[in-house]
Amino acid sequence: MSVVAPFGFEAAGVSAGIKKPGEKDLAVVAAAGPVAAAGIFTRNRSAAAPVLLSRHHLRDHQARAIVLNSGCANAGTGSAGEKAALAMAQATAEGLGCRVPDVLVASTGPIGPPLPIDHICNAIPDAIGALNDQSGTEAATAIMTTDTVNKEATAVGSGYVIGGMAKGAAMVRPDMATMLAVLTTDAVLSWQALETMLRRVGDKTFNCLNIDGCPSTNDSVFLLASGAAGVRPDLEEFEQRLHDVCLDLALQMARDGEMTDRVITVNVRGAVNDAIAREIGRTMTDSDLVRASFYGGDPNWGRLLAAAGAGPFPVNPNAMTVSYNGVEVARNSVQLDYARNALLATLRQGDFSVDVEVGTGEGQATIYACDLTPGYVTFNSEPS
Amino acid sequence: MSVVAPFGFEAAGVSAGIKKPGEKDLAVVAAAGPVAAAGIFTRNRSAAAPVLLSRHHLRDHQARAIVLNSGCANAGTGSAGEKAALAMAQATAEGLGCRVPDVLVASTGPIGPPLPIDHICNAIPDAIGALNDQSGTEAATAIMTTDTVNKEATAVGSGYVIGGMAKGAAMVRPDMATMLAVLTTDAVLSWQALETMLRRVGDKTFNCLNIDGCPSTNDSVFLLASGAAGVRPDLEEFEQRLHDVCLDLALQMARDGEMTDRVITVNVRGAVNDAIAREIGRTMTDSDLVRASFYGGDPNWGRLLAAAGAGPFPVNPNAMTVSYNGVEVARNSVQLDYARNALLATLRQGDFSVDVEVGTGEGQATIYACDLTPGYVTFNSEPS
């Protein structure tokens, strides 16, 4: 059900001819009128045109619709790209009869090629004509790139619903990564509440995902609240439900990482604070050597130690304690005797967890990482 | 000839039994007495015990000898590792009859396992007994890890010689990387001159090498000046010759990157200053997607744009101009029509160059990067 699960939202996914003929590549999610909205975006300094435009359009904290395309990121496209992003918003606003600044825009796909804006503008009326409150899966399908499955999630709160759709695959090391997500709710919420909660939840979910250590130009997460349920939610409950939906989508992305085999849950403990714990976890899982050891199911804690120290964050190289699937392999940076063959056998089976205590404080974070596989390299090496 | 090419140095490489029986794994380079010395080291916060000790021993800016082992990095070894590094220095000082602080120490190999210090201390007298002015290659061989060839270089100045040996392979993203290098000269130079020139040259050579984006715990470069040639060199000439030797060794490391296929020379132009140009180049070549495109010979400039923006450095996403092997593929962030098949054919042939203009100033730097190959992943995934 995804984004159309809450009252007050319609969606559509159609084929605009950006990807192969017949493949869905254009999605619209729309409310009945302008509603409270919040967004979080890539911090990449090469942020794509749609990111710049959506950030601008969110300055009044409201939106009527989001138009999203796959098959082209509209990044690295200069001022022509900026015009194309605006044209997408204009065509959507015209179709819906709303103000242009009430339309948010997102694109995903290869970086560099120009956006086929004529194809998109031709298809936007079709998409708007197809809008209905059942087509969440069509929209979620239309934003896929190298994703192998569409990604949807919902959570039910006390008298309201939260729905979401996302795409991931590669170039996913959010801050944000090339991930797009649209979240909707029918709860009654101010934009301030949406923004605060989205930022906090995004930091603990999407921003804790590390598929390949490559921060994208296009990451965007939008949260729209229609208020159609007429319920003012308990904020603590809402934030927890929002967290559930976002974590669900983030884990769906991790499991569908481009040509990856496993999801490794890395729990960092004992950092100076939670934010630094997250950065240490991200730095560790950025390392090719660490992710290659994940692929091999090798409890190579020395690489974690080396990678943790590579970042600008304080770690105590003499106080690192590391466990794989609960088996302690090093304590205070001294390798232990452990039942190595038994551990190797469990690590070979699939997903596993790594606990890293860095010995500098009380901060903690959990990172959801993918392994680095030969298949990922081959897949991403081929000229398109 | 390497480190023994200049007058006043002897070297030896022996087998201490750290690696497989019979494989050389312990090297000593020694001057006839204490000489002026300088060093540059990893900035990894998990710096290994030998790095900490050598940095400490260089506080008086002189050294008599360097003892180096391969087969174990003595990193992630806590206080036992610190004692082991000191024991290596003590045994070497005893054998040579010099002060302990006049011995520098370096280790390279897997991170985590304890250093087999008894084996090393037993073999140090053998190494000292084997010291002579012909054994540069033996020493260069004894510091190899997954290197497939030993790495040596020399340059001749006006009345003096500079020699060097190094090891590289993987975990090589100097700042420094797991690279070790020993540089010697018989010119007469103060430690201040050595330190200034080594730092400047290191930044333009070893620190511009990016094999796998993984900064190591053990990188160390030492420069010793025996003065045995009796010549006070022109500093400008000396720095140029030192640059030649360091660049030669850095390129040997790039060509011998672990399971890598190509060396890609990335010239960054138009950054705010040279240091930022270097950081942008390093950030770009850290990206798995960029290095996978290097492997495939794919002129995927969009990934360069995305990766450049991922760092904390100012880039202008609308002003990036990119050429592969001199063929411009994008100008001011707009993709050009270019003879794609002809370019793909040249990129498929082996090493190539990439020029990236980032449009924010006059700074420039050249990075020597390796491609990311499926073989690298497989090789580094296997539990040892």
Side-chain angles (χ1 to χ4, degrees):
Chain A
M1 285 292 283
S2 80
V3 291
V4 293
F7 288 117
F9 292 98
E10 294 184 318
V14 301
S15 171
I18 313 165
K19 297 202 291 197
K20 285 185 202 134
E23 282 186 37
K24 290 193 196 317
D25 48 23
L26 183 71
V28 174
V29 178
V35 300
I40 51 178
F41 300 96
T42 182
R43 288 172 206 140
N44 192 305
R45 291 181 182 236
S46 301
V51 169
L52 303 180
L53 186 70
S54 292
R55 206 185 270 148
H56 183 69
H57 282 185
L58 271 173
R59 288 201 306 181
D60 62 0
H61 312 291
Q62 66 171 39
R64 167 80 189 274
I66 308 169
V67 57
L68 312 95
N69 76 275
S70 57
C72 178
N74 193 14
T77 45
S79 59
E82 291 171 15
K83 286 192 194 107
L86 185 60
M88 275 176 80
Q90 284 168 330
T92 307
E94 195 175 321
L96 290 170
C98 72
R99 295 166 57 240
V100 176
D102 284 346
V103 178
L104 307 175
V105 178
S107 299
T108 179
I111 299 168
L115 191 71
I117 185 63
D118 292 345
H119 287 59
I120 291 176
C121 286
N122 286 340
I124 283 175
D126 302 342
I128 290 173
L131 281 171
N132 70 69
D133 61 7
Q134 301 295 321
S135 296
T137 299
E138 282 79 351
T141 304
I143 62 173
M144 289 165 58
T145 53
T146 53
D147 304 70
T148 62
V149 290
N150 56 308
K151 297 168 182 69
E152 304 172 48
T154 45
V156 179
S158 306
Y160 62 91
V161 170
I162 306 175
M165 66 177 190
K167 61 82 46 181
M171 206 179 267
V172 177
R173 197 271 205 191
D175 198 13
M176 315 297 296
T178 288
M179 48 147 307
L180 302 178
V182 175
L183 305 161
T184 54
T185 181
D186 46 18
V188 179
L189 285 160
S190 68
W191 66 263
Q192 291 94 336
L194 291 180
E195 199 166 278
T196 306
M197 291 190 284
L198 180 60
R199 202 164 293 281
R200 215 149 46 197
V201 167
D203 272 347
K204 284 192 222 159
T205 55
F206 299 123
N207 280 336
C208 286
L209 181 65
N210 199 353
I211 290 182
D212 59 1
C214 294
S216 151
T217 50
N218 286 57
D219 313 319
S220 305
V221 178
F222 301 108
L223 171 60
L224 272 60
S226 70
V231 169
R232 283 190 187 280
D234 173 77
L235 290 184
E236 206 172 313
E237 185 200 80
F238 186 89
E239 186 164 335
Q240 185 54 50
R241 294 289 178 282
L242 184 65
H243 181 273
D244 295 346
V245 168
C246 292
L247 185 60
D248 187 342
L249 291 171
L251 287 174
Q252 288 183 49
M253 282 189 260
R255 285 196 200 98
D256 195 28
E258 205 171 65
M259 309 299 285
T260 61
D261 279 357
R262 306 149 178 268
V263 177
I264 294 88
T265 304
V266 179
N267 301 302
V268 180
R269 304 268 177 275
V272 170
N273 58 43
D274 290 357
I276 288 179
R278 188 167 63 239
E279 290 307 320
I280 290 172
R282 289 153 61 106
T283 301
M284 287 194 300
T285 53
D286 279 350
S287 161
D288 285 355
L289 288 170
V290 165
R291 283 183 297 112
S293 73
F294 288 168
Y295 169 64
D298 178 14
N300 194 325
W301 70 277
R303 291 184 184 167
L304 290 171
L305 176 129
F313 319 105
V315 291
N316 180 346
N318 288 339
M320 195 178 256
T321 295
V322 183
S323 304
Y324 284 76
N325 269 356
V327 177
E328 204 169 280
V329 301
R331 167 157 290 270
N332 291 327
S333 299
V334 176
Q335 189 159 306
L336 302 175
D337 277 327
Y338 59 94
R340 185 166 165 87
N341 288 338
L343 179 59
L344 288 178
T346 75
L347 299 183
R348 229 176 273 126
Q349 282 165 20
D351 296 355
F352 57 85
S353 68
V354 184
D355 293 280
V356 182
E357 160 71 47
V358 295
T360 49
E362 300 294 320
Q364 49 181 276
T366 298
I367 302 292
Y368 307 94
C370 291
D371 55 351
L372 176 62
T373 70
Y376 170 92
V377 178
T378 303
F379 185 79
N380 280 299
S381 70
E382 284 155 14
S384 52
Chain B
M1 286 292 283
S2 79
V3 291
V4 293
F7 289 117
F9 291 98
E10 294 184 317
V14 301
S15 171
I18 313 166
K19 298 201 291 197
K20 286 185 203 136
E23 280 187 39
K24 290 193 197 318
D25 48 22
L26 182 71
V28 174
V29 178
V35 300
I40 50 179
F41 299 97
T42 182
R43 286 172 207 140
N44 191 306
R45 291 178 183 237
S46 301
V51 169
L52 303 179
L53 186 71
S54 293
R55 206 185 269 146
H56 184 67
H57 282 186
L58 270 173
R59 288 200 307 179
D60 62 359
H61 311 292
Q62 66 172 40
R64 167 81 190 274
I66 308 169
V67 57
L68 313 94
N69 75 276
S70 57
C72 178
N74 192 14
T77 45
S79 59
E82 292 172 13
K83 285 192 195 109
L86 184 59
M88 275 176 79
Q90 283 168 330
T92 307
E94 195 176 322
L96 289 170
C98 72
R99 293 167 58 240
V100 176
D102 284 348
V103 179
L104 307 174
V105 178
S107 299
T108 180
I111 298 169
L115 192 69
I117 185 61
D118 292 346
H119 287 60
I120 292 176
C121 286
N122 286 339
I124 283 175
D126 303 343
I128 290 173
L131 282 172
N132 70 69
D133 62 6
Q134 300 295 320
S135 296
T137 299
E138 283 79 351
T141 304
I143 62 173
M144 289 165 59
T145 53
T146 52
D147 304 70
T148 63
V149 290
N150 55 308
K151 297 168 181 69
E152 304 173 47
T154 45
V156 179
S158 305
Y160 62 91
V161 169
I162 305 174
M165 67 178 192
K167 61 83 46 181
M171 206 177 267
V172 177
R173 196 272 205 189
D175 199 12
M176 319 293 297
T178 287
M179 49 148 305
L180 301 179
V182 176
L183 306 161
T184 53
T185 181
D186 47 18
V188 179
L189 284 160
S190 68
W191 67 263
Q192 290 93 338
L194 291 180
E195 199 167 279
T196 306
M197 290 190 285
L198 180 60
R199 203 163 291 280
R200 214 148 48 197
V201 167
D203 272 348
K204 284 193 221 159
T205 55
F206 299 123
N207 280 336
C208 286
L209 180 65
N210 198 354
I211 291 183
D212 59 2
C214 294
S216 151
T217 50
N218 286 57
D219 314 318
S220 306
V221 178
F222 300 108
L223 171 58
L224 272 59
S226 70
V231 169
R232 280 188 189 281
D234 174 76
L235 290 184
E236 206 171 313
E237 185 200 80
F238 185 90
E239 186 164 335
Q240 185 54 51
R241 294 290 178 283
L242 183 65
H243 182 273
D244 295 346
V245 168
C246 292
L247 186 60
D248 188 339
L249 291 172
L251 288 174
Q252 288 182 50
M253 281 188 261
R255 285 196 200 99
D256 195 27
E258 206 172 63
M259 308 300 284
T260 61
D261 280 357
R262 305 149 178 270
V263 177
I264 294 87
T265 303
V266 179
N267 301 301
V268 180
R269 305 266 178 276
V272 171
N273 58 42
D274 289 356
I276 288 178
R278 188 167 62 239
E279 290 306 320
I280 291 172
R282 289 153 60 106
T283 301
M284 288 195 299
T285 53
D286 279 351
S287 161
D288 285 355
L289 288 169
V290 166
R291 283 183 297 114
S293 73
F294 288 168
Y295 169 64
D298 177 15
N300 193 326
W301 71 276
R303 291 185 184 166
L304 290 171
L305 176 128
F313 319 104
V315 293
N316 181 345
N318 288 340
M320 196 179 256
T321 295
V322 182
S323 303
Y324 284 76
N325 270 353
V327 177
E328 204 167 281
V329 301
R331 167 157 290 271
N332 292 327
S333 300
V334 176
Q335 189 159 305
L336 303 175
D337 277 327
Y338 60 92
R340 184 166 165 88
N341 288 337
L343 179 58
L344 287 178
T346 76
L347 298 184
R348 231 176 272 127
Q349 282 165 21
D351 296 354
F352 57 84
S353 68
V354 183
D355 293 281
V356 182
E357 160 72 47
V358 295
T360 49
E362 300 294 321
Q364 49 182 277
T366 298
I367 301 293
Y368 307 95
C370 292
D371 54 353
L372 176 61
T373 69
Y376 171 91
V377 178
T378 304
F379 185 79
N380 281 299
S381 70
E382 285 156 14
S384 51

